[in-house]
Each structure stands twice: as structure tokens, then as C-alpha cells.
Amino acid sequence: MSLIEEIDYGTPASLSEKMITLTIDGNEVTVPEGTSIMRAAMEAGIEVPKLCATDMVDAFGSCRLCLIEIDGRNGTPASCTTPAMEGLVVHTQTQRLKDIRKGVMELYISDHPLDCLTCAANGDCQLQDMAGAVGLRDVRYGYEGENHVFAKAGIAANDRWLPKDESNPYFTYDPAKCIVCSLCVRACEEVQGTFALTIEGRGFNSRVSAGGRHDNFIDSECVSCGACVQACPTATLTEKSVIEIGQPEHSKVTTCAYCGVGCSFKAEMRGEELVRMVPWKDGKANRGHSCVKGRFAYGYSTHKDRILNPMIREKITDPWREVTWDEAYKYVANEFRRIQYQYGRNSIGGITSSRCTNEETYLVQKLVRAGFGNNNVDTCARVCHSPTGYGLKQTFGTSAGTQDFDSVDYTDVVMIIGANPTDGHPVFASRLKKRLRKGAKLIIVDPRRIDLVRSPHVQASYHLPLRPGTNVAVVTSMAHVIVTEGLFDEKFIRERCDWDEFQDWAAFVASPEHSPEAIEQLSGVPAQALREAARLFATGGNGSIYYGLGVTEHSQGSTTVMAIANLAMATGNIGRKGVGVNPLRGQNNVQGSCDMGSFPHELPGYRHISDDQTRDIFDKLWGVKLQDEPGLRIPNMLDAAIDGTFKGLYIQGEDILQSDPDTKHVAGGLAAMECVVVHDLFLNETANYAHVFLPGSTFLEKDGTFTNAERRINRVRKVMSPLNGYADWEVTQNLAKAMGLGWDYKHPSEIMDEVALTTPSFAGVSFDLLDKEGSVQWPCNEKAPLGTPIMHIESFARGKGKFIRTEYVATDERTGPRFPLLLTTGRILSQYNVGAQTRRTDNVIWHEEDRLEIHPHDAEQRGIRDGDWVKVASRSGETTLRALITDRVSPGVVYTTFHHPTTQANVITTDFSDWATNCPEYKVTAVQVGVSNGPSDWQVKYDEQARQSRRIVPVFDAAE
Amino acid sequence: MASEGHKTTATKLVYMANQIAAFFHTQPKDEAVAGVADHINHFWEPRMRTQLFAILEQEDNGLDDLVVEAAKQIRKPGPVPA
């Protein structure tokens, strides 16, 4: 094993197809037109010395080190800013260049500390490397003059010197080591798109600044993505983990386990200790970028709260008792078999995890179907993107996004509906902002003024601030404009869709009750803005739609997904680069968990359980007779539990008590069961109601694959031994063995082989292929041996695209005198979902608690001041949290995040759900808000119960 | 604290069935009945369908006419294999 070194070409690749040839140091080099001489040289294996260039950002030409000479031209131009041209003869090393470079380095080093041996960047410092490369042996100027290095000048204080800024929990800024190359500033602008950093002052006074004169990093606009740290050629910006541990010695490429973007990282290691995560430039989802979670928030993996030994208790009021793994497996197997004997075969089930690997998910659904002998398996996609699955399957024929993330580089008009990419999918947001800065137009449909509406160098053309729950009305109304104004793409529709269905749909949307003027009253969206936005989308070139849970988590979630698909088809925006329908998936492997057959009605590859041919494949391979009826979905399981017909549940890596709606109902359902098995890293909220706890492993501790929002199957690679002893797939396998199943997988690759064998869209997938290609997007089979970046290119998966009427039906969750405000929910950048992981990292510095955002007008009416404790009550329950007064939300709308369990946001959410999939309606709850003097009774009771249920009886003789 | 003050499963099933009907009411007439039946056959676990048939037998069951009409095409669950 060794450290994976990526080649830095110095400047970004040129996309030109025209090739030119030049000569560099006697070597002929052929490169695309527009390539810099620096890059051309590197492609020929010649490294020109450089300090201010990297291929992640545009050339800048400030360090004066990468100079070259060109035959027939005067002077010594910078190779980073000079384009390669046909026939040039370039020299990268001449006496003149050597003298200049040495002189330049001498100046740099005269204002730089000489503490290399004790410096954190020792061994990974470009300044050190360049001093070596140019042969610097002496600094004639001495170190006593004006400098930024020493705190004192003689006996007086040195005004130029600034202390280290250690305010960010993950990296330090040491101005004494800065050479003002501005790479950090440019990385912040060009890669991340936040513009938090700047160079202040001029000449020798210039320095990097995170805002005003006295701003430190943590108080600035910095989002801690780490792009600046990665770009820094010195120890000025350094990971605190590197300062503490030292330089890594080997690395493996793996996939982030946070959101559905699925960024590739090099996990840089020293032994089994993770030194740092560095985004991998060849990662096709992230192209070398990351966010604060993926790069820095991995501390949970070694957090003291992790449970490392299996535990059992007969009653949930008992304290936990540590047992051996064998005891735990035997207990679960006996209990599940007893329950099935007593209450029938269908009285138990399982929940797969969107946090775990494809292989692990596949095994859990296999355990349920083949071992439990029923189809009671579901996954947390139930509560996020199940309407995407349903809606896209109906209209296009397959349950997934149509594009790859690279597609955003080719889009002209982006419409974002019910998603907040800068917080939820930050690396995608950075790629989007890059495109927006180059001129693409943006339409945002969201009740709240998300950051993308207006942020540095980004301004949405239209923000349609709709009332929560009116998505269908608004999207259908856009279709009304497109149809009645004749802006649809008739050629595309005639070729690719069913023309009769289109005409039926066109007549439907064209009726006057769908006009923007008619729906303005109920949606709150000004008709004129809606008309103009629709026109822009239909006529602005390549139109792409990106959407999130603000679309799906509604009573009409599936209908909105169909409305979005209709809009894309009507405008011909399907089947090429730059267009498409792109669900932004929440969890790292929510796409994969759906692909792997986690839904109760579907076998892997989205094939219905009633299909005899599909069942036959699995019947034969597994030696069982699968039931041909759909199983229970999560909410149905809980209903059945309360009715007394569902008694046992194996939950892998999901916290339904915190994440599912109507907490009291979830708690009631769990309490009614006789054997709840929680398989997780921590004693999560659901574990309060569990009888068996099986310790889980992190993504760093196992091999497998995750599938991201663009259908990309990425490898997850084990870099350390599981602290709990076993990867999750091994635990499921051992449980299956205890239940009498003869499984014998030696490695996750064998599980993927079984998926490929049984599932046509995965037929070509293997770990070998993934290791070779880096990643592939399904479908990957004979027809597409290297996968499918863009779907529905010549025809839709279902044949003809299907237009479906989408009538707006108001949710029954309505405001009235008792509950006059609408609560909607969302996320914040630094925290992830229920926060089980990010709350156990230093990310809490950015978000210690969930706050209720309320408009100044609504706050004033209620006598609420910023920071006051407020009570939020709905028809389901009440909770308390602190208010944040802001005009980001419209009057009548309040908003909160749900990252902290004490917030109990889901005590207030109702049991209303999507008509087609039972996806809960998280995004609309009628509430009243008033000042409060402390936690609600439920919060107090809940805290006490949680405290009681987490007691563990100490064991003197440690198990195993 | 189980389901106190909360809806019973039967109430929920009626609500869910009516939600499905509400969608298919807006679809072309000839597709609506089959649409409701297909949806319930595809996604409702047998004990949910069994409960639905029990509800159908009650008068004033609160079910949408379209659900009642579709019931003829909804599959009667067989016995659960032992």
C-alpha cells in the first residue's frame, strides 16, 4: 500500500476538440487547443516549478516561478497563463530561467519561517519542494528585515505579524507561513463558489483575509469545505488532524457516507488511523471537491458513544445486558421464530438502511424474503423519495434520475423545486454555481428564500415563493403557460411520447382553472412571475429540473413528480446533456437501497413481486418459494403492530423514532412489538424501544458499494478494522445462519455478483469492473458495458413517455383559527439528517440546536423576540424550541431543521402521507406558535424515558 | 400512550383508499376504476386488503364511490402460507 499521488497538471483541462502540437524541451507534445504550456509540459512528464497554480482553478500567473522561454519570443512568460500554440518551441530550463527562479524563491524564503522539521506540512509542502527544485542554497537578504514571520521586531511588537487563527475546528490559518499565492482565495471562489476569502492590502502588506480586518475564519462566510486547505502550497492552511498526527503513509479511494452526491475521497491513513479525507479528482460525482461533512466530519466513527458489544433485554424498561454475539444471534432467531409460530409468518419484518452498502441492503431484504418468508421489508426511502420511484416509473418507466452530475455543465436554465442544494447537496451546489456564474439562468420554486436565490455572483431570475402544499398547482400552471402559449416541443413529443396522451394532458392543463392567475390565490405565487418563469424554462435552451424532498414529502408528492416529468417531456428536455429530471437524493445510498429490492412490493431492479418470472429467478437461486403478495410498508407495519398482528422488526441503520413522522404513533407501534432488533452505531432513539442491540460498523470499516443520485455505483473500501468486530453484512449473514439459512459469502464482491446474476440492469457490474473504471452508472449490462450516464436517449425505458393529468388536491392538513401557521422543515449544511453522526463531531460548533424561523410580522403579533423559547403546537402534539426571526420565510410560514432529538420536530408532524406511496407529509403541518417557558411535558417525559432506556449493566468479565 | 387520540387503522385505510380515488377521479374515466384497483393490488399488503373488504361490508363506510366500484377488481387475499 502507498499514498495515492494525483498528478497536478497546473491548469484545468481544455475541452477543445482541435489538437495542436508544440515542442517542449525537445519533446513533441500534442494537446487540445487552449491548453496552457504548463499543462502541456506536465502531460509530457515535464514539471515546471510552480507555487500559485493547480488544475482545480484557473491560471493566475502571480508566483513568477513557472516562467519559460519560447523561441522567437521576447521575455520569460509564465507557462500557466501562456496558451500552447501550434509549432511553438519551448524551453523550461535555461540559465536565465534558473537565475530568475532562484531569485524569486530567495525572496519568498526571506519572509518565511525556517522551521521545516517541526512544521506540519513537512513532507507535503510545495514551497519546500520548490526550494529544492530550484536549488536554493542561501538567502542573501537575511531574515531580520521587514517580515510577517516573527512576533517581535527587536524588542518591539511586529505589527505585520498575526497569530494563528485556530477558530475553525478542523483547520488552522497561520499568516506567518503565507506566501500570498491566492490559491485559497481562488479555490473559495472558483471551486466552492462562496467568496468568503479575499486578499486585503497591497504589495508587501497584502495578506489573506476571511472578511473584515478582525474577522477570523469561524465568524466569516466560510463554509469549511476545505478547498482552500487542499489548495494551500504551504502550512498556512493545515488540517488540525495532520498537525496532531503527522503525514499519512498510505491511502485508499472510498465514497463519502453522507448525502446522495456520493463524493469520492482518498482516505489518507497512518496505520489504521485516519489522518484526513481528501477529495479525489477522478471522482466523477465531485471532481475533486467536498463539503465540511465529507472532508471533516468523520469523528463519529471513533466516538465514545459507539456501542461495541451486542446487548439484550427482555423488557424495554430493563437495563441493557451485554452478551456475546452468538447469544445475541440465538436470542433473535429464537424470538423471531417464536413470534412467527405464535402470530403467523407475516408478523415480523425488516428495515434496510440507506446508510449501508448495496451489498448489506441486499442481504437484509434477502433475509426477510427468504428467511422470514414474507415481503415485510421497507427502507427509509419510504419517508423521502418513494414518490420519485413511483412518479418516474409511471411517466418514464424507471425509478431514477435521468442525468449524471456532469450534465449541469451543459445546462442553460435550471429549475430547482423544493431543494436547498447549498445545504443539502453542497458539492452539487458548487458545481451548479460554477455553471450559473458562466451565465445559466436559475428558477427557484420554494416557500423559503434559500441561499441560492441570492448569494455572491448568483441571482435567481425568478423565485416563486409558493405556499407549502401547492406544488402540483404551481407546476401544472407552468405547463398551462407552456401549452397555451404554444411553447411545447411538438417534434420531441410526437417522436418520443404518446401523442394521444399528450393531447389529453394538454387539454387538461390548458383549462382556465390551471392558469397562473387562477392559482395565484391559493399558491401565493404572483401570476406574472410564474408566466415569465415558465416561458424562460421552455425557451431558454437546455432546461434541467433538480428537486428534493420539498417535492416528495407531501400528500401529493407522487403527483408533483409526475407533473415535473410532464414538464420535462413537454419542453423536450430529456435524453441529452444539460437537461433532465434530477431528484437530489437525501442519503448516500437511498438510490441503492431502492435498487436492491428494499421496497415491500419489489424485488431488486424494480420488478414487482407479483411477476412470476422474476420470482422464479430468486426461488431457484435461494431454494425458497417467495410470497407473491406485497408486504407492509413502514407506516403499515406500525399500524399492524398497534393492531397486534405485527410483533418483530429487524432495523438496520435507521432511526425511525426520530426520523419518521408522528413520533407518538411510532413509539406506540414499537412499544407494541415483542422483539425489536436495532443494528446501529449508537443507541439511537429507536433503540429506546429495542430488545436487542447489534453494534454496527462505519463506512470506513467495510467493503462494498454505494449508489448515488446519478445512479453511480461507487466503491466503498475498508481502511480500518471494525471496532465492533464485524462489518454489517457479516452481522446480517450470521443472523441468517442462526435462523437456519446456509449463507456463506466470504466478501461483499460475492454479494454484488449475485445481484448482477439476478438483476438485468446490474448484469455487467462487478467489483473488478468498478476497480478498473472507478465507477459505473446503471443500467450496466451487455447493451451498456460501461454504464449509462444519461437515460432515455433514443426512447424512454417504458417505450413512449407517458403524460399524466395532475390535478391539484389540497391537503387535509389545513390552517385554521387554532393552527394558523404552516410549518415546513429542512436541513442545514453542517448537520446531517437526524444528526446521529454529525452531532458527534465538531460540526456542532455551527449548529448547536434547531431553531424555529418565523417572519417578523408573525413574531410581533405573538410577542416573540429573537431567541425566545417558543411552543409549537399542531394537531399531533407540541414541542418547544428557540425562535429565529427572519424574513427568509413568508408571513404565515414557519420553518425548522430536525437535526437534534430534543427538538422532537416529528412530535408535531402529522400522519398525512402521499396518496401513492405513504411517504409522509413532513413539509406541511398546520401549527400555532406562542411564547413558552420551557420544554413541553412530552419532551420532559421523553428525555426521562430515553435516559432510563440507555442504562447498561456493567459486565465485569468483558464478553469475547 | 399507544394510539390514544390517534386514528384507527380502519380510519386510515379509508382515508388512504379515498386519496387514491381522488387521484384517479382526475384521470380519464375508462382508466379510473382499473387504476384504483391496480394500485391497491400492487401496494397493499393482504391484511390491509382484508380489512378493506371488511370495511366495504359496512354501511356508511365512508369510502369513495370509485373505491367501491374498483373493489370488484381488487384481489381477495388467500390464506397466509404457514
Side-chain angles (χ1 to χ4, degrees), chain A residues 683-957:
Chain A
L683 278 174
N684 60 18
E685 304 307 306
T686 308
N688 297 346
Y689 290 87
H691 305 87
V692 180
F693 186 90
L694 302 174
S697 55
T698 72
F699 76 113
L700 298 166
E701 298 169 338
K702 58 198 178 189
D703 281 300
T705 56
F706 293 151
T707 306
N708 75 357
E710 38 164 16
R711 295 169 278 107
R712 185 179 303 287
I713 308 161
N714 272 314
R715 276 281 272 123
V716 177
R717 290 186 176 87
K718 180 177 164 182
V719 292
M720 55 178 78
S721 312
L723 286 179
N724 58 323
Y726 299 94
D728 297 331
W729 64 271
E730 294 175 287
V731 174
T732 306
Q733 167 154 289
N734 289 337
L735 181 57
K737 281 180 178 166
M739 294 191 74
L741 295 156
W743 294 4
D744 191 22
Y745 301 104
K746 301 276 192 290
H747 188 268
S749 63
E750 298 176 8
I751 306 171
M752 182 51 86
D753 291 344
E754 185 173 317
V755 175
L757 185 70
T758 54
T759 310
S761 49
F762 279 72
V765 181
S766 70
F767 277 36
D768 282 346
L769 181 76
L770 295 172
D771 290 344
K772 206 167 76 206
E773 294 299 321
S775 64
V776 292
Q777 290 169 271
W778 66 259
C780 173
N781 47 31
E782 252 181 26
K783 273 190 239 161
L786 296 181
T788 312
I790 293 172
M791 295 195 79
H792 317 298
I793 288 181
E794 266 148 28
S795 65
F796 283 97
R798 71 185 298 283
K800 293 275 187 193
K802 185 176 175 67
F803 281 93
I804 297 175
R805 294 189 201 169
T806 55
E807 182 78 81
Y808 169 65
V809 181
T811 169
D812 286 328
E813 180 64 12
R814 284 178 202 167
T815 54
R818 275 178 68 212
F819 302 108
L821 302 172
L822 282 180
L823 169 74
T824 188
T825 57
R827 296 167 194 236
I828 198 162
L829 169 68
S830 57
Q831 297 291 329
Y832 187 76
N833 213 11
V834 297
Q837 289 146 308
T838 45
R839 277 186 286 112
R840 293 182 172 96
T841 69
D842 289 329
N843 277 26
V844 288
I845 197 170
W846 287 282
H847 186 75
E848 286 173 290
E849 58 178 340
D850 296 316
R851 300 278 289 264
L852 185 81
E853 290 188 9
I854 184 167
H855 191 271
H857 174 78
D858 291 326
E860 195 187 339
Q861 272 192 337
R862 290 165 176 77
I864 294 167
R865 288 161 308 175
D866 196 54
D868 279 353
W869 281 96
V870 293
K871 184 176 88 172
V872 186
S874 76
R875 292 178 183 92
S876 285
E878 61 181 58
T879 192
T880 53
L881 64 170
R882 294 201 306 132
L884 177 72
I885 296 176
T886 171
D887 65 356
R888 277 187 164 223
V889 287
S890 307
V893 177
V894 291
Y895 166 91
T896 186
T897 49
F898 52 89
H899 301 304
H900 291 267
T902 47
T903 306
Q904 294 277 313
N906 280 325
V907 171
I908 349 175
T909 52
T910 67
D911 63 2
F912 289 115
S913 68
D914 174 48
W915 68 268
T917 65
N918 273 169
C919 178
E921 186 165 57
Y922 289 113
K923 298 294 181 184
V924 193
T925 310
V927 295
Q928 179 56 292
V929 177
V931 281
S932 149
N933 41 21
S936 70
D937 289 349
W938 168 267
Q939 281 168 304
V940 173
K941 242 169 43 193
Y942 184 91
D943 277 353
E944 175 56 18
Q945 198 261 347
R947 209 176 52 75
Q948 285 291 329
S949 82
R950 291 193 174 123
R951 287 169 302 154
I952 300 173
V953 178
V955 189
F956 296 106
D957 184 15

Side-chain angles (χ1 to χ4, degrees), chain A residues 450-511:
Chain A
I450 60 172
D451 282 350
L452 277 175
V453 171
R454 188 175 158 79
S455 62
H457 298 263
V458 168
Q459 165 98 56
S461 300
Y462 300 98
H463 172 215
L464 311 182
L466 77 182
R467 202 162 286 147
T470 59
N471 289 331
V472 171
V474 169
V475 181
T476 304
S477 191
M478 292 183 108
H480 171 94
V481 176
I482 288 164
V483 167
T484 55
E485 297 188 8
L487 306 175
F488 53 90
D489 184 342
E490 182 170 341
K491 184 167 171 288
F492 177 92
I493 299 163
R494 281 191 184 275
E495 276 173 25
R496 304 287 307 277
C497 306
D498 185 303
W499 182 251
D500 289 343
E501 280 166 356
F502 168 73
Q503 283 184 309
D504 174 77
W505 173 81
F508 165 80
V509 298
S511 79

Side-chain angles (χ1 to χ4, degrees), chain A residues 171-194:
Chain A
F171 62 85
T172 62
Y173 166 54
D174 185 354
K177 294 191 167 166
C178 180
I179 58 168
V180 204
C181 65
S182 90
L183 269 172
C184 54
V185 176
R186 288 179 283 140
C188 189
E189 293 178 4
E190 294 177 37
V191 180
Q192 166 57 29
T194 292

Side-chain angles (χ1 to χ4, degrees), chain A residues 345-346 390 601 608 629-632 636 639 643 645 662 665 689 805 807 812 911-913 915-916, chain B residues 1 6-7 9 12 15-16 19-20 23 26-27 39 42-49 75 80-82:
Chain A
R345 198 206 267 207
N346 293 343
Y390 180 81
H601 64 279
H608 200 270
E629 288 277 15
L632 294 167
N636 313 139
D639 289 340
D643 291 349
T645 64
D662 198 1
H665 180 65
Y689 290 87
R805 294 189 201 169
E807 182 78 81
D812 286 328
D911 63 2
F912 289 115
S913 68
W915 68 268
Chain B
M1 81 188 157
H6 279 67
K7 298 164 195 158
T9 307
K12 283 188 187 176
Y15 187 81
M16 281 160 56
Q19 264 187 304
I20 295 165
F23 175 80
T26 67
Q27 299 306 305
H39 194 91
H42 270 96
F43 299 105
W44 284 32
E45 199 254 4
R47 79 192 86 171
M48 296 164 72
R49 300 208 308 274
R75 236 184 11 258
V80 179

Side-chain angles (χ1 to χ4, degrees), chain A residues 305 353 478 620:
Chain A
D305 285 355
S353 177
M478 292 183 108
K620 284 194 178 124

Side-chain angles (χ1 to χ4, degrees), chain A residues 516-573:
Chain A
E517 291 71 21
I519 67 125
E520 177 170 346
Q521 196 60 31
L522 64 102
S523 72
V525 176
Q528 191 55 27
L530 195 150
R531 276 192 185 275
E532 286 171 17
R535 287 173 196 145
L536 173 63
F537 184 73
T539 61
N542 283 342
S544 55
I545 302 174
Y546 291 83
Y547 71 88
L549 305 183
V551 158
T552 55
E553 291 175 345
H554 288 278
S555 284
Q556 277 200 290
S558 292
T559 316
T560 310
V561 173
M562 292 188 259
I564 286 170
N566 288 337
L567 209 58
M569 288 189 291
T571 51
N573 279 313

